[in-house]
């Protein structure tokens, strides 16, 4: 890290930190609030960087260039640092953690300035059925639901104070629960009409689009025509359809085909969430999936994807069991898991390849591939960080029975990490020009309530890992291209206003980091570790990370989608 002195306008010494306010500002008028001096500026376009100064006035980038004759209230020497637009987290699960702690520290230390939430489930619209679902799925986090619509939730975050900007899809699963609860059946025409009306309201109030999660109950109960009906509403507002696909393992290509069908039939742009091929036997399917997407793109469909740079995914241990187990919600799931006859059937199906559901238990290679991380009951938390196989050995039972008993005893879906992907496929995905990036995780911190839960290291390390491992060390992709697909490219996919690039008049979401030292630190065994090498982060001109330390500032805003109508609220 650079070891320079920091001053404010008027040349008052403010301490020995990683930054220098230049003496030239002593005589120049303070026409800007902040000037970042002498950085290597990557504007987000993917082009070559430029040695330049970047000036901020209020919440906006006011000037970029050689600004030696101009002054600012605060000037920071960022010589040797890369200066870029703030990073966009295309699939964030910060929706609950950011209510509890608006600082979103694990993401800010990565350089993330926009959280895009709403994979399948969104934080609105809320009725009693949705409220019950949210409470059943709560990850040991205490918060009150002080909103009804999705827009009210996002505005609540802004009003209460958040460090990053926030945006969200409306969840296809949420509107289904709103009207059908946890039932496994198609909606009636009247129910589907109400689901479409909820989607329309959310789009007009600023949702980015509509998103599905088709592997976590009750998401799989939605058929393709139901998803087309919801996506068609989002399309009217130039929104995006995003999907955690129905299949990522042996039937990966069927999952891609469904996304393409929805994009065609709904006439909508589509995003494949965290594109991956699950299971060692399916490594070669990634090439075929990429070819399918590129063929669809060449045919005129706007299909894009995102990914995270790890060979393990994360989700509820409930996904290791057939979807029928979860019909009716958690209470019914637990009842079935306690039934001796059904336990035998469930164990048998967990060990049997299936065509009608994605068997993640087999996809991760069985119980040794499942790391339990999200147990909530105090008497069970000592098991976090152990595999299902290890817990089964401790309990003297079969791994399948141990998995069922964990869900019963914890009365939760039991968040787990599953080692299911190939490193060679990560290297193939990162250079793809239509690929952006995500954490697929909450925004947490190595303190307080967050330490009660073991977590996937991607929560702390996704973006620095790309910049360190795949840019600096392995040279899988250039720095300017990686930054383009962390910034301008996802902003274009989301169709959000004046973000994702360093341009005059754009919002001042800016990062400054050392490309030679930026590094992820989180591991599977010790995940609660901030990444290092990110020196400064600005959000809407607010200085959120200063000299590598979070300032506590909360300048984040509700970022609205292209269909927003001010008269609709939100």
């Amino acid at each position: 890290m650079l070891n320079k002195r920091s001053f404010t306008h008027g040349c008052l010494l403010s301490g020995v930190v990683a930054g220098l306010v230049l003496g030239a500002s002593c005589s120049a008028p303070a026409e800007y609030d902040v000037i970042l001096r002498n950085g290597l500026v990557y504007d987000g376009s993917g082009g070559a960087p430029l040695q330049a100064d970047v000036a901020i006035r209020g919440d906006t980038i006011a000037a970029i260039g050689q600004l030696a004759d101009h002054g600012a209230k605060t000037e920071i020497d960022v010589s040797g640092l890369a200066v870029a637009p703030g990073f966009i987290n295309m699939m964030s699960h910060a929706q609950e953690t950011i209510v509890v702690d608006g600082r979103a520290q694990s993401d800010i230390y990565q350089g993330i300035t926009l959280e895009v939430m709403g994979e399948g489930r969104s934080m609105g619209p809320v009725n009693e059925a949705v409220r019950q679902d949210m409470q059943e799925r709560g990850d040991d986090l205490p918060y009150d639901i002080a909103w009804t619509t999705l827009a009210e939730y996002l505005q609540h975050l802004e009003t209460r104070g958040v460090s990053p900007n926030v945006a969200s899809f409306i969840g296809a699963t949420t509107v289904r629960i709103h009207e059908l609860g946890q039932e496994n059946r198609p909606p009636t025409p009247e129910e589907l009409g109400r689901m479409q009306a909820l989607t329309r309201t959310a789009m007009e109030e600023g949702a980015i689009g509509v998103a599905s999660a088709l592997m976590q109950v009750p998401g799989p109960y939605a058929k393709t025509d139901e998803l087309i009906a919801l996506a068609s509403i989002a399309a009217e507002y130039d929104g995006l359809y995003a999907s955690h696909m129905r299949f990522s393992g042996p039937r990966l290509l069927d999952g891609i085909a469904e996304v393409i069908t929805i994009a065609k039939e709904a006439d909508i742009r589509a995003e494949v969430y965290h594109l991956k091929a699950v299971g060692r036997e399916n490594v070669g399917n990634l090439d075929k999936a990429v070819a399918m997407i590129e063929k669809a793109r060449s045919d005129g469909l706007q299909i894009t994807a995102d990914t995270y740079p790890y060979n393990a995914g994360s989700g509820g241990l409930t996904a290791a069991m057939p979807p029928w187990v979860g019909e009716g919600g958690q209470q019914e799931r637990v009842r079935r898991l306690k039934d001796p006859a059904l336990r035998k059937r469930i164990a048998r199906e967990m060990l049997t390849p299936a065509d009608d559901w994605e068997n993640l238990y087999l996809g991760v290679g069985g119980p040794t591939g499942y790391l339990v991380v999200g147990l909530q009951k105090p008497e069970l938390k000592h098991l976090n960080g152990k595999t299902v196989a290890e817990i089964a050995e401790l309990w003297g039972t079969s791994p399948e029975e141990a998995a069922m008993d964990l869900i019963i005893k914890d009365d939760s879906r039991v968040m787990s990490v599953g080692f299911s992907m190939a490193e060679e496929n990560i290297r193939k995905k990162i250079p793809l020009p239509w690929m952006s990036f995500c954490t697929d995780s909450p925004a947490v911190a190595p303190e307080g309530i967050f330490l009660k839960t073991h977590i996937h290291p991607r929560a702390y390390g996704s973006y620095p890992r790309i910049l360190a491992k795949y840019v600096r060390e392995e040279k899988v992709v250039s720095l300017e291209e990686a930054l383009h697909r962390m910034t301008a490219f996802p902003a274009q996919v989301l169709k959000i206003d004046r973000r994702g690039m360093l341009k005059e008049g754009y919002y001042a979401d800016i990062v400054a980091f050392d490309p030679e030292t930026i590094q992820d630190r989180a591991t599977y065994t010790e995940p609660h570790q901030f990444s290092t090498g990110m020196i400064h982060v600005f959000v809407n001109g607010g200085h959120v990370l200063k000299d590598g330390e979070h300032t506590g500032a909360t300048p984040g805003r509700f970022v609205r989608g292209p269909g927003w109508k001010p008269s609709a609220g939100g």
Side-chain angles (χ1 to χ4, degrees):
M1 184 183 294
L2 301 180
N3 184 22
K4 298 182 180 180
R5 294 178 299 167
S6 180
F7 295 80
T8 56
H9 184 67
C11 299
L12 298 175
L13 185 66
S14 65
V16 179
V17 290
L20 174 66
V21 176
L22 301 182
S25 67
C26 298
S27 57
E31 58 185 294
Y32 302 116
D33 293 315
V34 178
I35 295 180
L36 302 175
R37 298 267 187 204
N38 304 318
L40 197 57
V41 175
Y42 294 80
D43 66 4
S45 68
L50 174 70
Q51 196 81 38
D53 305 328
V54 179
I56 301 170
R57 184 185 294 120
D59 63 358
T60 304
I61 298 171
I64 301 174
Q66 303 305 314
L67 305 176
D69 295 333
H70 301 267
K73 297 173 186 175
T74 299
E75 304 192 13
I76 306 171
D77 183 14
V78 291
S79 299
L81 301 184
V83 179
F87 303 158
I88 295 174
N89 188 353
M90 277 293 279
M91 186 191 160
S92 168
H93 280 297
Q95 60 271 4
E96 293 179 318
T97 55
I98 209 167
V99 178
V100 175
D101 183 355
R103 293 174 296 172
Q105 293 185 78
S106 60
D107 283 1
I108 291 295
Y109 277 86
Q110 296 184 61
I112 291 168
T113 60
L114 173 60
E115 308 277 10
V116 185
M117 303 173 285
E119 182 219 21
R121 284 175 164 90
S122 54
M123 296 296 275
V126 178
N127 65 358
E128 189 53 40
V130 173
R131 183 182 299 271
Q132 181 179 345
D133 180 71
M134 292 167 71
Q135 290 169 344
E136 286 184 354
R137 290 172 55 84
D139 292 325
D140 213 15
L141 297 172
Y143 65 91
D144 295 323
I145 302 172
W147 57 86
T148 300
T149 69
L150 178 58
E152 288 171 353
Y153 159 75
L154 293 163
Q155 188 58 54
H156 172 79
L157 294 179
E158 179 180 323
T159 301
R160 187 170 180 268
V162 289
S163 293
N165 296 308
V166 290
S168 183
F169 291 86
I170 183 169
T173 300
T174 296
V175 297
R176 167 174 257 273
I177 293 171
H178 195 282
E179 296 303 316
L180 281 75
Q182 303 282 344
E183 295 184 37
N184 183 3
R185 63 172 176 83
T188 66
E190 293 76 19
E191 288 167 337
L192 184 58
R194 292 195 294 271
M195 291 163 66
Q196 289 180 305
L198 291 169
T199 303
R200 184 180 302 281
T201 297
M203 293 303 301
E204 292 184 355
E205 290 185 347
I208 294 294
V210 62
S212 64
L214 304 178
M215 291 177 66
Q216 286 283 355
V217 171
Y221 305 157
K223 306 303 182 187
T224 305
D225 58 350
E226 176 183 325
L227 299 170
I228 291 170
L230 298 181
S232 296
I233 301 299
E236 295 177 16
Y237 299 91
D238 203 13
L240 180 68
Y241 171 71
S243 183
H244 177 142
M245 296 186 301
R246 206 177 297 273
F247 305 108
S248 297
R251 294 186 61 185
L252 171 62
L253 303 186
D254 291 335
I256 297 290
E258 183 177 37
V259 171
I260 292 172
T261 295
I262 293 168
K264 282 182 179 178
E265 296 298 320
D267 192 19
I268 194 169
R269 299 173 295 113
E271 172 90 358
V272 176
Y273 275 143
H274 48 60
L275 176 64
K276 56 190 173 184
V278 171
R280 288 295 310 182
E281 70 279 10
N282 299 311
V283 171
N285 274 343
L286 180 72
D287 293 335
K288 297 174 184 177
V290 168
M292 284 182 70
I293 292 173
E294 293 188 336
K295 174 63 166 58
R297 287 171 59 86
S298 69
D299 290 342
L301 292 177
Q302 297 183 59
I303 310 287
T304 52
D306 52 71
T307 192
Y308 49 79
Y310 294 88
N311 67 349
S314 184
L317 191 56
T318 50
M321 299 166 194
W324 62 262
V325 178
E327 284 185 36
Q330 178 68 4
Q331 186 175 349
E332 284 297 299
R333 176 186 287 115
V334 169
R335 182 188 65 77
R336 294 186 184 104
L337 292 176
K338 289 180 177 179
D339 184 300
L342 290 179
R343 284 172 71 89
K344 291 180 181 178
R345 177 185 170 188
I346 293 165
R348 184 171 63 251
E349 293 189 18
M350 289 173 69
L351 294 169
T352 305
D355 288 333
D356 57 344
W357 67 285
E358 188 89 299
N359 190 330
L360 287 184
Y361 190 71
L362 297 181
V364 303
T368 59
Y370 254 125
L371 187 73
V372 174
V373 301
L375 291 165
Q376 300 175 22
K377 295 291 176 64
E379 64 271 22
L380 297 174
K381 284 184 180 290
H382 69 283
L383 298 173
N384 283 329
K386 296 184 182 298
T387 67
V388 170
E390 289 170 332
I391 294 170
E393 185 175 354
L394 283 173
W395 286 354
T397 187
S398 75
E400 296 73 42
E401 289 179 309
M404 289 184 265
D405 288 339
L406 284 167
I407 293 168
I408 293 169
K409 291 174 184 292
D410 202 54
D411 194 20
S412 77
R413 56 194 177 119
V414 184
M415 288 298 294
S416 306
V417 170
F419 295 87
S420 59
M421 292 167 279
E423 175 64 28
E424 58 261 40
N425 278 348
I426 299 174
R427 295 190 184 94
K428 289 178 180 178
K429 289 185 289 185
I430 285 177
L432 293 170
W434 39 266
M435 184 71 65
S436 55
F437 306 110
C438 68
T439 66
D440 190 10
S441 289
V444 293
E447 63 185 45
I449 194 170
F450 300 123
L451 288 177
K452 294 182 179 181
T453 302
H454 202 90
I455 200 167
H456 195 300
R458 66 192 182 192
Y460 286 90
S462 290
Y463 288 73
R465 183 174 177 82
I466 292 168
L467 296 172
K469 180 177 175 63
Y470 298 103
V471 173
R472 184 177 67 233
E473 296 170 11
E474 299 187 9
K475 296 178 173 53
V476 169
V477 65
S478 69
L479 179 56
E480 50 264 44
E481 176 63 16
L483 291 173
H484 168 63
R485 288 189 285 107
M486 292 177 176
T487 59
F489 176 67
Q492 292 161 7
V493 170
L494 297 168
K495 295 207 170 183
I496 53 177
D497 181 43
R498 290 183 293 153
R499 298 189 190 273
M501 291 194 72
L502 298 185
K503 292 178 66 174
E504 292 182 16
Y506 273 50
Y507 291 105
D509 300 337
I510 304 171
V511 300
F513 66 94
D514 188 340
E516 297 303 318
T517 64
I518 194 164
Q519 187 68 57
D520 59 301
R521 302 291 177 185
T523 66
Y524 291 107
T525 54
E526 297 291 336
H528 286 289
Q529 300 185 72
F530 288 135
S531 292
T532 54
M534 186 63 60
I535 311 301
H536 296 284
V537 175
F538 290 85
V539 178
N540 299 310
H543 206 167
V544 177
L545 194 74
K546 179 180 181 181
D547 304 320
E549 297 291 336
H550 201 297
T551 66
T554 54
R557 295 178 184 166
F558 171 8
V559 173
R560 294 163 174 84
W564 177 52
K565 293 185 177 181
S567 59

